[in-house]
Amino acid sequence: MLAHAGDRPRRQGLYDPRDEHDACGIGFVANIRGVRSHDIIDKGLELLDNMEHRGAVGCDPCTGDGAGILLQPPHALLQEECAAQGIALPPAGDYGVGMVFFPTDAGDRRACEVVLERIAAREGQRFLGWRDVPTDDTQLGPLALESRPVIRQAFIARDRLSTSEFERKLYVIRRQLESTVMRSTIYGRAAFYVASFSSASVVYKGLMLPSQLPRFYTDLGDTRAVTALALVHSRFSTNTFPTWPLAH
């Protein structure tokens, strides 16, 4: 069973949690004119795949230390998928996207969601709804599957704030959310993690090999997903525990 972030052992023998660090591979692809295309995602994933040697695997050869990609929110894809479930997204850039890992227990998950919705309202922001991120679990190794969180996206509208003010507000909401859940009595709170929360970027990541990432997250293979930049990461956990939160 893989440990969640925060579940590291205490100092013992030659092990000291203060010495944890990684040695990873990172790469960046961008269109210098800011033109968005699906080709940038494809190139980023190709770059990530070519950095598989910079990552690592354990006793389960199908579970890597982690891989991920940061890109601009795929507005056309999100707009159509959300509309299908009754969520009307504002124009691109006028809403924030939270990529959130949740406990697998439905009760614990809903308790975490309620915390986010209440904090957003308290901060004067309009919560729009939730989207289940489509995934293909057959791509995961046994250890990654065992600790796999439920992955959902949260959407918050930008109504009155400027872009920079809204980004700061999303950061405040994220930090309050993380702090509140971690201090709560929610049983599965150790599995809760916010991978990204922004109107400018979104992170798709997980405890897997680089080659598994685009097959696990089907959004990444959807031609409606376009971006002008892609930041990729292949993780090598030299002295840390491989976990879903630490994957990117």
Side-chain angles (χ1 to χ4, degrees):
M1 179 70 178
L2 293 171
H4 293 295
D7 289 344
R8 303 181 184 96
R10 297 178 181 177
R11 181 178 178 181
Q12 54 186 305
L14 297 177
Y15 173 79
D16 189 329
R18 295 176 301 177
D19 295 331
E20 293 201 350
H21 60 279
D22 352 90
C24 313
I26 60 172
F28 183 70
V29 179
N31 182 292
I32 60 174
R33 294 181 177 83
V35 178
R36 303 188 188 199
S37 69
H38 186 73
D39 184 58
I40 293 293
I41 296 178
D42 286 340
K43 283 184 168 61
L45 293 171
E46 181 182 4
L47 173 58
L48 178 63
D49 194 40
N50 288 334
M51 290 194 301
E52 189 153 324
H53 67 285
R54 293 296 301 167
V57 298
C59 58
D60 169 12
C62 295
T63 298
D65 280 1
I69 184 170
L70 176 149
L71 51 133
Q72 292 170 306
H75 175 66
L77 183 156
L78 296 177
Q79 186 178 50
E80 290 185 25
E81 293 299 316
C82 286
Q85 60 184 71
I87 302 173
L89 291 183
D94 287 345
Y95 61 92
V97 184
M99 181 74 87
V100 189
F101 293 171
F102 286 102
T104 55
D105 179 82
D108 290 344
R109 180 167 67 254
R110 184 56 193 155
C112 294
E113 292 172 349
V114 168
V115 173
L116 186 152
E117 294 166 16
R118 287 177 177 172
I119 290 176
R122 190 174 67 204
E123 290 296 324
Q125 304 306 299
R126 182 163 54 98
F127 178 76
L128 298 172
W130 294 98
R131 175 191 182 232
D132 291 319
V133 179
T135 59
D136 181 357
D137 286 3
T138 64
Q139 301 302 315
L140 298 179
L143 293 179
L145 186 61
E146 182 182 354
S147 59
R148 179 214 194 282
V150 170
I151 307 170
R152 306 195 78 196
Q153 289 171 331
F155 300 94
I156 294 178
R158 179 175 74 88
D159 291 329
R160 297 177 299 276
L161 301 177
S162 68
T163 300
S164 59
E165 289 172 336
F166 187 51
E167 280 298 299
R168 289 195 294 270
K169 182 63 70 174
L170 292 176
Y171 177 76
V172 168
I173 291 172
R174 173 180 179 170
R175 296 300 292 164
Q176 289 190 44
L177 171 63
E178 292 169 336
S179 176
T180 302
V181 170
M182 288 303 106
R183 290 187 287 105
S184 73
T185 57
I186 299 171
Y187 181 77
R189 63 187 180 278
F192 176 82
Y193 176 76
V194 182
S196 62
F197 214 143
S198 172
S199 63
S201 63
V202 62
V203 170
Y204 288 82
K205 74 172 190 175
L207 192 62
M208 61 193 82
L209 301 170
S211 58
Q212 294 170 323
L213 187 73
R215 300 198 301 267
F216 176 73
Y217 286 113
T218 58
D219 281 359
L220 299 177
D222 194 310
T223 56
R224 293 174 296 174
V226 296
T227 185
L229 59 88
L231 176 67
V232 296
H233 175 217
S234 176
R235 183 166 186 260
F236 194 113
S237 173
T238 54
N239 195 31
T240 56
F241 288 95
T243 66
W244 281 81
L246 295 178
H248 180 77

